[in-house]
Amino acid sequence: MIQDRAAGAIIGGLIGDALGLGCHWYYDLDELRRHYGDWITDYTTPRQNWYHEGMRPGQLSQTGLITVMLMRSVLEHKVYVESDFIRHLEEELFPDLDGTAMQGPGGYTNQSIREAYLRCTVEKKPWGEVGGSADNTEAAERAIVLAVRYATNPRMVAATVSSNCRLTQSDEMIVGMTTAYDCVLSLLVAGEKLDSALSGTLMDLVGKGNLPYQDRPLPPKIGEIDINLPGLFPIPDPLLIPSAIAGIVNCPGIMIEPAWKVSLVYGLPCGINHQLPCAYYLASRFSDDFESAVLHAINGGGQNMSRAFLTGALVGAQVGLSRIPQRLIKGLDSSDELVSLARQLGEVAALDA
């Protein structure tokens, strides 16, 4: 049922976020193993003088908290009201920030949020002018709420996700990749699979005018004038990547073993160009095994929190809340409340189905 898949996407993402809290940002994988053992299997405690110091196992990072904030806003109105989400940011988040990184709810504030905070509160710029150049996946993560809410309406997914992303990230390539990820997630919530055919489905939606991407998967021919149409992302590549990555999973000539080493293949850093291929690979390879997917995402090190969030949402949407291991759900801080909110959002999404 769409309700189960919708709730699975939300809780799956939040589980991935919380799993990364304690063991976040180890770029030296030998150091990660020394501190947390050969294989991380559960929520961990952040070390002293490390990221998220003072937080407890199972708690959410700031990105997770903002995701819940957006979910509450959508549930209050049954639709996405951007001005209300902005109000939540200004009233519930910004008063606890000071513009520095190692501070704020969740124990760390991402660059995209820091830039928005400083432009909004110090430079007094209006929303619409506070988005910065950060290339992280912070917006892609929180916008899973919108992918779930409008899962059966691709046009609305694209419109709301791209608008929400631009609040904190202004680079159009980042906005395009963010929007593509959440369009993929919405299709999974609607019942599609992350496989070699999914990008074809996405491009069909482009052709029908339901997704704001140029309908040009191939380069222009010799002598052909290439025109970027206003209002459209200039290239459809972000929509083609998911199936290209999914095709690797069953390609006999390509082997990534163990699966966590996909983080070494595509890169450990925070950039969305590193994160999305890893998430697509793990979510395709372990499409029916939530625990394996998120644990391989975590044990790959680097920006494992975002990798696990993105992967957890994709696999959670495929298996549904009912097939996410209970120990991982119960280990979440305030799990009963979070599950209730996720189920409510699933019910709202199902009304449009």
Side-chain angles (χ1 to χ4, degrees):
M1 294 194 306
I2 190 170
Q3 297 98 316
D4 189 47
R5 293 192 297 270
I10 297 295
I11 296 302
L14 295 180
I15 286 173
D17 181 79
L19 282 170
L21 188 79
C23 54
H24 193 198
W25 270 326
Y26 280 84
Y27 286 92
D28 182 338
L29 299 187
D30 290 334
E31 184 181 16
L32 174 66
R33 310 297 186 230
R34 285 196 301 271
H35 289 143
Y36 292 102
D38 291 338
W39 189 250
I40 299 166
T41 61
D42 212 335
Y43 303 104
T44 56
T45 302
R47 289 171 49 239
Q48 188 175 6
N49 297 320
W50 198 253
Y51 302 98
H52 313 287
E53 178 184 3
M55 301 286 289
R56 300 189 308 274
Q59 288 188 307
L60 298 176
S61 77
Q62 189 174 116
T63 299
L65 296 172
I66 295 173
T67 302
V68 176
M69 189 182 300
L70 176 56
M71 182 162 52
R72 291 185 185 280
S73 175
V74 169
L75 285 173
E76 181 179 353
H77 299 278
K78 308 304 180 187
V79 295
Y80 175 52
V81 179
E82 193 154 276
S83 60
D84 186 66
F85 176 60
I86 290 171
R87 178 185 64 81
H88 279 279
L89 291 176
E90 292 180 336
E91 295 179 1
E92 299 174 19
L93 178 64
F94 283 5
D96 294 324
L97 304 182
D98 65 8
T100 62
M102 303 289 284
Q103 182 272 339
Y108 186 88
T109 300
N110 278 316
Q111 178 186 344
S112 50
I113 298 297
R114 298 198 305 271
E115 290 178 348
Y117 165 81
L118 290 171
R119 290 191 176 99
C120 185
T121 62
V122 177
E123 299 178 23
K124 304 299 182 182
K125 290 186 176 182
W127 288 96
E129 298 180 19
V130 302
S133 59
D135 65 349
N136 59 38
T137 59
E138 186 265 332
E141 293 168 56
R142 68 173 183 254
I144 68 169
V145 171
L146 304 176
V148 166
R149 168 59 186 87
Y150 297 108
T152 59
N153 189 338
R155 187 192 298 268
M156 281 298 293
V157 173
T160 56
V161 170
S162 59
S163 182
N164 183 268
C165 180
R166 289 188 181 99
L167 294 177
T168 56
Q169 293 173 275
S170 58
D171 186 292
E172 281 300 291
M173 182 60 70
I174 305 304
V175 179
M177 295 178 75
T178 294
T179 303
Y181 168 82
D182 283 297
C183 287
V184 168
L185 179 63
S186 71
L187 290 184
L188 301 187
V189 172
E192 301 285 346
K193 294 298 180 183
L194 181 48
D195 56 23
S196 58
L198 187 67
S199 289
T201 301
L202 290 165
M203 291 306 297
D204 286 344
L205 292 170
V206 171
K208 295 174 182 176
N210 290 326
L211 293 182
Y213 292 81
Q214 296 274 26
D215 189 7
R216 185 187 289 280
L218 297 176
K221 298 177 181 179
I222 296 175
E224 183 178 2
I225 297 175
D226 193 18
I227 301 175
N228 290 336
L229 300 176
L232 298 181
F233 296 116
I235 56 175
D237 293 24
L239 303 178
L240 303 175
I241 293 172
S243 285
I245 298 296
I248 292 173
V249 173
N250 295 315
C251 179
I254 301 175
M255 296 182 64
I256 302 176
E257 294 295 346
W260 66 261
K261 287 190 175 182
V262 70
S263 66
L264 302 179
V265 174
Y266 293 110
L268 299 175
C270 309
I272 193 169
N273 57 312
H274 300 287
Q275 291 288 317
L276 292 190
C278 291
Y280 291 146
Y281 177 83
L282 293 172
S284 179
R285 177 165 172 172
F286 299 109
S287 61
D288 200 41
D289 185 351
F290 179 86
E291 183 166 339
S292 291
V294 292
L295 293 186
H296 278 278
I298 287 296
N299 282 278
Q303 176 47 304
N304 55 356
M305 176 183 288
S306 289
R307 190 184 308 120
F309 189 122
L310 298 167
T311 301
L314 292 172
V315 183
Q318 293 179 91
V319 303
L321 178 65
S322 59
R323 293 178 57 207
I324 294 177
Q326 279 297 306
R327 72 175 189 87
L328 293 175
I329 296 175
K330 293 301 183 183
L332 270 178
D333 188 59
S334 303
S335 62
D336 289 345
E337 179 184 11
L338 295 177
V339 168
S340 176
L341 291 172
R343 283 177 169 156
Q344 290 176 52
L345 187 64
E347 290 171 1
V348 173
L351 295 176
D352 294 341

